[in-house]
Amino acid sequence: MNKKLNHLAQPTDVQFYSAGMRCSAYLYRPDHQAPSPIIIMAHGLGGTRKMRLTAFAERFTAEGYACLVFDYRHFGGSEGQPRQLLDIERQLEDWKAAINYARSLPNIDHSKIILWGTSFSGGHVLSTAAQDSGIRAVISQCPFTDGLASSLAMNPVTSANLTALAVRDRIGAAFGNAPIMVPLSAAPGETALMNAVDVVSGLSEITKNDPDYKNYVAARFALDIIRYYPGRQTTKIKAPVLFCVCETDTVAPAKMTLRHAKRTPHKEIKLYSYGHFEIYVGDAFEHVVKDQIDFLKRTVAV
């Protein structure tokens, strides 16, 4: 595997448009001339492509898969004002735009489009695949599947504080005011979208390669998360889906994820003892990416 990685070409910086705004992405191509399958990838809650997604893409490319790793509008290298606006519908539009762009690329097998999502985007890929019968396979890693389950996992006081900030932000937006920001991560007891015991240390590990990472988003998002249930779309997905589920997940509760996963027509479920943030690095990463490559080789061969 190391020999393969040593000979990888560097990714190309590319752009595509979503609702008239430019989304920035890395395009990885394998070292062969035949049309290749392509894996489309994006990060979770407030994340960017630099936060360890490149490590997964390098491993997939070494096995012969092209990878398109993009930033959502309002985040990272992509356009969009105001910055740090986390809008579910816009992110789903970005996934559709990324798929359309991938289908326009030369030397890509357009019948072999694969979606890869993690955490919040692990839910987005389920929703997107349910609406696009042309998707060949899906990898959904520690996925957000149920807004109510994730909200109930939060301390009631934190939830109340977030709701108050979100209402103020939504009202302010109607009058053209600048967004009220809320932290993405904080220590237990502090107000943030994620404040479980492993959040701060886990995020610090995966944001090392993104010096521009911003630990906040517009607070209005807190009003939308409880109404988002991508797991309910799993019965409509025609493609095989690999669910990588962390049994001790503090952000996306495993119990509800497994309930939705088991309703998927063509699924494989892998359970891990790792936490929500552990699977991006070290031995946990090696374990998970090996399982994902095995799934890819069996379902969408190069």
Side-chain angles (χ1 to χ4, degrees):
M1 178 62 68
N2 289 337
K3 185 178 292 186
K4 292 181 182 179
L5 291 173
N6 288 339
H7 288 85
L8 278 180
Q10 292 298 307
T12 303
D13 288 305
V14 298
Q15 293 82 38
F16 61 89
Y17 284 85
S18 179
M21 284 185 275
R22 187 178 68 246
C23 290
S24 294
Y26 296 135
L27 177 62
Y28 292 79
R29 286 191 180 271
D31 188 21
H32 60 70
Q33 297 301 314
S36 58
I38 187 166
I39 305 171
I40 303 173
M41 310 172 65
H43 222 305
L45 205 67
T48 69
R49 56 194 158 136
K50 295 180 180 179
M51 293 166 53
R52 290 291 293 174
L53 294 198
T54 53
F56 285 90
E58 287 170 358
R59 297 295 285 270
F60 299 148
T61 307
E63 299 297 334
Y65 298 86
C67 292
L68 179 70
V69 190
F70 73 92
D71 284 335
Y72 299 110
R73 285 176 288 167
H74 307 279
F75 289 90
S78 294
E79 292 182 335
Q81 295 291 337
R83 303 305 293 169
Q84 301 300 111
L85 176 63
L86 207 168
D87 185 290
I88 294 171
E89 290 304 317
R90 291 189 185 198
Q91 291 195 347
L92 291 173
E93 288 173 359
D94 294 346
W95 274 99
K96 293 177 182 177
I99 293 169
N100 289 336
Y101 175 71
R103 286 175 172 151
S104 74
L105 289 171
N107 213 36
I108 292 294
D109 188 336
H110 300 140
S111 69
K112 294 183 176 181
I113 305 289
I114 303 156
L115 306 184
W116 185 100
T118 185
S119 193
F120 204 61
S121 69
H124 286 341
V125 294
L126 300 176
S127 293
T128 303
Q131 299 174 24
D132 189 334
S133 60
I135 300 302
R136 280 289 297 273
V138 179
I139 295 175
S140 183
Q141 175 176 283
C142 56
F144 171 94
T145 59
D146 194 286
L148 180 60
S150 291
S151 298
L152 291 176
M154 185 175 292
N155 179 284
V157 174
T158 301
S159 183
N161 290 339
L162 285 173
T163 300
L165 289 169
V167 170
R168 286 175 53 201
D169 185 35
R170 183 63 56 82
I171 292 172
F175 289 93
N177 296 338
I180 296 172
M181 298 295 179
V182 64
L184 279 163
S185 65
E190 298 181 6
T191 299
L193 290 173
M194 298 180 289
N195 63 0
V197 66
D198 61 335
V199 168
V200 173
S201 59
L203 266 176
S204 67
E205 187 68 25
I206 66 173
T207 56
K208 288 179 179 178
N209 292 325
D210 188 359
D212 299 320
Y213 172 70
K214 297 175 176 60
N215 186 35
Y216 53 84
V217 294
R220 68 196 74 168
F221 169 71
L223 297 176
D224 300 327
I225 191 170
I226 197 170
R227 297 184 287 110
Y228 188 39
Y229 294 86
R232 294 180 180 177
Q233 303 290 316
T234 56
T235 57
K236 303 175 185 177
I237 301 174
K238 296 182 178 181
V241 182
L242 173 64
F243 291 91
C244 298
V245 182
C246 297
E247 293 178 293
T248 59
D249 201 316
T250 59
V251 176
K255 181 178 179 181
M256 190 57 70
T257 295
L258 290 171
R259 183 178 300 177
H260 291 303
K262 289 174 182 177
R263 296 167 59 239
T264 310
H266 309 288
K267 76 277 189 179
E268 295 182 28
I269 301 173
K270 294 285 187 179
L271 291 173
Y272 303 96
S273 60
Y274 313 122
H276 186 85
F277 298 97
E278 288 181 279
I279 56 176
Y280 298 96
V281 295
D283 291 341
F285 163 76
E286 294 295 339
H287 185 179
V288 173
V289 78
K290 180 180 177 182
D291 287 344
Q292 294 177 1
I293 290 170
D294 174 68
F295 169 79
L296 289 169
K297 287 182 174 181
R298 288 184 288 105
T299 56
V300 192
V302 174

